[in-house]
């Protein structure tokens, strides 16, 4: 199953990328390609977040009976969005964004595949190829690869994974930087200088002097390649953040308005803050990805308060602050939130929920048709549910990705970009 | 044949000049020296200083023989050190008693802090002892395979405090004691261990309580609390209890058959039902061990994978046991375990022929761990030069092998653990039930290399707390040689499998720059600089 990098190297070798056209030479950080800075931020809630506990179907007559210990009600603080749906009290920070028309939840979205395995479902959602075990390139990576600028004068700073290891959607043949959280800036910059000779672009790929067969050569080339991208992109990332922070300080000194957004103190919020800095720097960043883990609430999910509520509070406050921080830049930015599948509509024997099917997706941005709950809701009656237990999927997650790619990134999605995909619904999200 | 041999060995010994060799006939078989380096890299966490020579002296095959099982005598210094840990040999009840602080109405902040600190002792000791074993144990293959099974049957401290006191026992009883036993035994040991029952929630999975049981609960709660409302609330909560699919699913997906092999959702439910009542004796004076509670068990025969699993007529856990036996004998399990072992020990893309061979051994020997490993090392694929130094080290493998190859002395895990956290692989802390992956595509993202380099440089320069490369490491370099040649010796010490042209050229540049700067060169100054770079080199990232 683990062939990504090999496939890349093979592909790269046949395409002559490694041997002839080296994309990582000094020209790589020339002027950004799209100064307008349309960007997509993808957030993956790992562990199958209980969508029904985020966008709560408080108006559905079946809801409370299915969830005797974990349901939340208006009386307990659910914030109504329309007659049927409301935000969980812990998500109330997002209500102003909804009211401003910049938040569009899509209910009953998910994968047509029946799997309830976290790991398959995550792979397939992030590869946007349900059931296809041969696909090893993430959907965003494919976008980056297909739209790769051919000539000079392009930004290679197009995508960032804001964590130690890339989300799968960013993995694949197009090299993307994972930004480690724990680097000290000055020390890191020294370290990068030190290792440049060992991973720099001038060395030979053959590693002469050692008898290497083809496969090992590819394996080693993968390590060198990874190191080289680490040096070049991380160095640039550090510069951008430093510059942006300096600018911000200057603005504050000059009493110029900076967004008055206040992020909570959390890892997630910090990463969003960094994305905002990079986006404002206009370096041609097109896509950033972040994971938010820990949503597998088999037990003690909690109601108004509790484990999931705590997570939702951090999540929603961070996002609300991010939207505010982006200011006018939010108009050209979309934020897409997804999770591998939903959870059982009925709570299980331990005040939690088990693996289900349909969930929801959350879309934010100036360009989206927000202030409205999208998606077809069939209700919670036994026969309305998928296999009698889970939310049915009435919007294929690729329907949403498709609209986001076309509208936010202006990408004319080619046929077979999503293999075997037949649109389930046009949602008119933009 | 002959000329090629000469060329290859010339390449290996001449480190100074880059030589390009056209390889037309494919690589030569490994030399004895390369075989020694390979087993120390793949079936150990890399060599310690002088270890390749020691393996060569005893013969690679003899070394291997001693490594499969517990034949190799353990280093008494390691044993002394491990004996200082308080909780490692405790069973769960002892560990619970050891870590708990009697509740008081009001405790001071200092007392609370002490209580929290006590709670964490089993976690800290277990993590530290595992790192110590990995670095210092003479039974290296045991350590490597223990880590493999730890991840296969993953349990994690991230579950929260409830699991802390269960973990040392899990490591000992489930993993260490079965690492040279049979797979079905390890499977049963994991299924009946409180840490697993807790981690994947099976301890809570049960049939919904009967009316009678609810009435009994109401009566008892009313009597003990004197409150009607409290009693009603208890009944309300209890009446919601029921099946939890978490363990049932991962048992099939991750522990035995592999994802979506042979089973469907209805099998997941049937498996979960077979295992209802497999829980922990958590009563006040209870054993804290696995116990079968017939009151929680969903009665009746079940069908799993089209096979009838009969109810235990004596009201015991027989149904779950029969299920585990079936899974342990299943062809799908043999295939899945074989694939994972070959992927771990041979190549990220496991050669299919070898997987089939190992699966056959599994079926023939009922999953005997030694026999499966023997099939692997007796294969052509294991010794194929294409499969030497082809696997990207996980962060854990990278750190442990760096500590070993430099002959590090370690006072405590402390800061090493922080590096592991930063690189995403702290010991026994994998939140996902998959365990940590061992393939390159899970770890080789651009960006993480920076953390490895920082660690390499910090380690070489003595900047990692409580860890030091001893002077004796540098004493291996013949100091009376011209300083220009020191780098060759250090390269041989850190990269016994050889260094590529780029790395050698880079080291030569660093050396020249240093020699220009310093009139009187000092090995103990230039050495650490070079060692940091060698540990961060592309070659050292592969095992």
């Amino acid at each position: 199953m683990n062939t990504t990098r090999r496939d890349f190297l093979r592909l790269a070798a046949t395409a002559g990328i490694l041997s002839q056209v080296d994309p990582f030479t000094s020209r790589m950080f020339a002027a950004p390609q799209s100064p307008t800075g349309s960007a997509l931020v993808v957030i993956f809630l790992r562990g199958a977040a209980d969508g029904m506990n985020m966008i709560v179907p408080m108006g559905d007559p079946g809801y409370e009976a299915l969830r005797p210990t974990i349901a939340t009600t208006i009386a307990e603080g659910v914030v109504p969005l329309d007659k049927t749906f409301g935000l969980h009290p812990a998500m109330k920070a997002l209500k102003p964004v909804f009211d401003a028309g910049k938040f569009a939840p899509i209910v009953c979205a998910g994968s047509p595949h029946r799997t309830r395995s976290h790991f398959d479902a995550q792979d397939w959602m992030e590869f946007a190829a349900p059931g296809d075990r041969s696909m090893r390139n993430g959907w965003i990576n494919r976008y980056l690869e297909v739209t790769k600028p051919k000539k000079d004068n392009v930004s290679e700073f197009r995508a960032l994974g804001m964590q130690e290891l890339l989300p799968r959607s960013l993995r694949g043949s197009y090299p993307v930087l994972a930004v480690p959280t724990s680097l000290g800036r000055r020390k890191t910059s020294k370290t990068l200088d030190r290792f440049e000779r060992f991973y720099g672009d001038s060395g030979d790929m053959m590693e002469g002097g050692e008898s290497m067969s083809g496969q090992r050569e590819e394996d080693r080339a993968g390590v060198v390649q990874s190191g080289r991208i680490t040096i070049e992109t991380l160095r640039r990332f550090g510069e951008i953040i430093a510059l942006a922070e300096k600018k911000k300080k200057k603005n504050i000194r000059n009493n110029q308005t900076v967004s008055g957004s206040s992020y909570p103190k959390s890892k997630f919020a910090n990463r969003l803050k960094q994305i905002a800095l990079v986006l404002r720097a206009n370096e041609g960043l097109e896509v950033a990805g972040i994971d938010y883990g820990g949503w597998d609430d088999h037990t003690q999910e909690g109601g108004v308060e509790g484990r999931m509520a705590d997570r939702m509070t951090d999540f929603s406050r961070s996002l609300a602050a991010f939207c505010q921080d982006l200011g006018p830049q939010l108009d050209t930015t979309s934020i897409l939130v997804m999770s591998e599948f939903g959870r059982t509509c009925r709570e299980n024997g331990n005040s939690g929920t088990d693996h289900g099917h349909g969930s929801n997706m959350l879309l934010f941005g100036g360009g989206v048709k927000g202030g409205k709950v999208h998606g077809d809701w069939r209700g919670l009656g036994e026969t309305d549910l998928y296999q009698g237990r889970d939310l049915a999927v009435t919007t294929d997650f690729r329907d949403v990705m498709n609209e986001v790619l076309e509208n936010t990134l202006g990408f004319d999605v080619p046929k077979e970009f999503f293999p075997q995909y037949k649109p389930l619904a046009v949602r008119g999200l933009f | 044949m002959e000329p090629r041999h000469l060329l290859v060995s010339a390449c290996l010994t001449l480190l100074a000049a880059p030589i390009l060799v056209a390889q037309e006939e494919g690589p030569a078989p490994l030399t004895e020296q390369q075989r020694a380096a390979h087993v120390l890299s793949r079936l150990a966490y890399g060599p310690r200083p002088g270890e390749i020579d020691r393996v060569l002296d005893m013969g690679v095959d003899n070394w291997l023989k001693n490594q499969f099982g517990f034949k190799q005598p353990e280093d008494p210094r390691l044993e002394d050190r491990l004996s200082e840990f308080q909780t490692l040999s405790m069973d769960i009840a002892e560990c619970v008693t050891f870590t708990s602080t009697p509740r008081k109405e009001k405790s001071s902040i200092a007392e609370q802090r002490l209580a929290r600190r006590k709670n964490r002792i089993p976690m800290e000791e277990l993590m530290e002892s595992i790192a110590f074993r990995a670095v210092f144990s003479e039974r290296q293959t045991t350590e490597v395979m223990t880590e493999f099974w730890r991840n296969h049957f993953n349990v994690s401290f991230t579950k929260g405090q409830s699991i802390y006191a269960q973990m040392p026992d899990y490591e000992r009883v489930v993993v260490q004691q079965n690492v040279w036993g049979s797979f079905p035994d390890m499977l049963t040991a994991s299924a009946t261990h409180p840490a697993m029952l807790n981690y994947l929630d099976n301890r809570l999975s049960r049939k919904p309580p009967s009316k009678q049981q609810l009435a009994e609960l109401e009566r008892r709660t009313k009597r003990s609390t004197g409150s009607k409302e409290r009693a009603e609330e208890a009944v309300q909560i209890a009446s919601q209890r029921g099946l939890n699919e978490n363990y049932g699913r991962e048992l099939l997906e991750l522990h035995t058959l592999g994802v979506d092999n042979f089973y469907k959702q209805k099998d997941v439910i049937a498996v979960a039902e077979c295992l209802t009542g497999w829980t922990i004796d958590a009563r006040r004076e209870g054993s804290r061990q696995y116990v079968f509670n017939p009151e929680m068990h969903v009665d009746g025969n079940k069908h799993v994978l089209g096979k009838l699993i009969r109810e235990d007529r004596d009201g015991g856990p027989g149904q779950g046991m029969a299920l585990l036996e079936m899974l342990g004998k299943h062809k799908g399990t043999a295939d899945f375990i074989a694939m994972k072992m070959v992927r771990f020990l041979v190549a990220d893309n496991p050669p299919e022929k070898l997987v089939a061979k190992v699966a056959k051994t599994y079926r023939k020997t009922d999953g005997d761990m030694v026999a499966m490993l023997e099939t692997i090392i007796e294969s052509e694929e294991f010794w194929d030069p294409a499969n030497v130094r082809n696997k990207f080290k996980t962060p854990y493998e990278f750190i442990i092998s760096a500590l070993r190859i430099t002959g590090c002395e370690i006072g405590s895990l402390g800061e090493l653990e922080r590096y592991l956290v930063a690189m995403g692989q702290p010991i026994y802390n994998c939140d996902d039930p998959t365990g940590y992956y061992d393939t390159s595509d899970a770890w080789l993202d651009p960006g993480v290399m920076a953390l490895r380099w920082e660690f390499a440089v910090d380690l070489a320069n003595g900047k990692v707390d409580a860890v030091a490369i001893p002077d004796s490491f540098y004493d291996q370099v013949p100091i009376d040689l011209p300083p220009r040649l020191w780098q060759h010796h250090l390269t041989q010490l850190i990269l016994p499998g050889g260094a590529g042209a780029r790395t050698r050229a880079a080291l030569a540049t660093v050396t020249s720059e240093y020699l220009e700067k310093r009139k009187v060169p000092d090995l103990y100054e230039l050495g650490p600089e070079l060692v940091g770079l060698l540990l961060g080199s592309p070659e050292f990232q592969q095992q």
Side-chain angles (χ1 to χ4, degrees), chain B residues 452-515:
Chain B
R452 294 191 180 210
W453 298 334
E454 287 197 349
F455 175 75
V457 172
D458 286 351
L459 179 68
N461 290 287
K463 299 232 172 87
V464 181
D465 270 358
V467 177
I469 300 177
D471 282 352
S472 59
F473 173 79
Y474 295 101
D475 295 344
Q476 297 175 94
V477 178
I479 198 155
D480 36 353
L481 279 179
R484 213 166 27 81
L485 298 179
W486 291 344
Q487 50 152 323
H488 300 315
H489 287 271
L490 287 170
T491 305
Q492 270 172 324
L493 290 175
I494 305 277
L495 301 174
R502 182 205 325 263
T503 296
R504 281 180 282 124
L507 290 166
T509 312
V510 174
T511 301
S512 319
E513 282 173 4
Y514 173 82
L515 294 178

Side-chain angles (χ1 to χ4, degrees), chain B residues 131-192:
Chain B
F132 282 177
R133 280 180 204 277
V135 177
F136 296 112
S137 176
E138 293 287 334
R139 295 172 184 158
Q140 279 289 300
T141 307
T142 303
E143 292 312 310
V144 168
M145 292 314 294
T146 306
E147 176 65 10
F148 174 76
W149 293 114
R150 249 177 229 134
N151 286 307
H152 183 81
F153 289 112
N154 186 58
V155 291
S156 166
F157 283 113
T158 56
K159 184 74 179 175
Q161 286 196 11
S162 67
I163 210 167
Y164 291 5
Q166 297 164 340
M167 295 284 280
D169 191 77
Y170 184 88
E171 163 76 9
R172 214 176 51 244
V173 174
V174 176
V175 191
Q176 289 177 6
Q177 285 177 12
N178 289 293
V179 69
W180 297 117
S182 81
F183 179 81
D185 286 351
M186 195 186 277
L187 177 67
T188 307
S190 72
T192 52

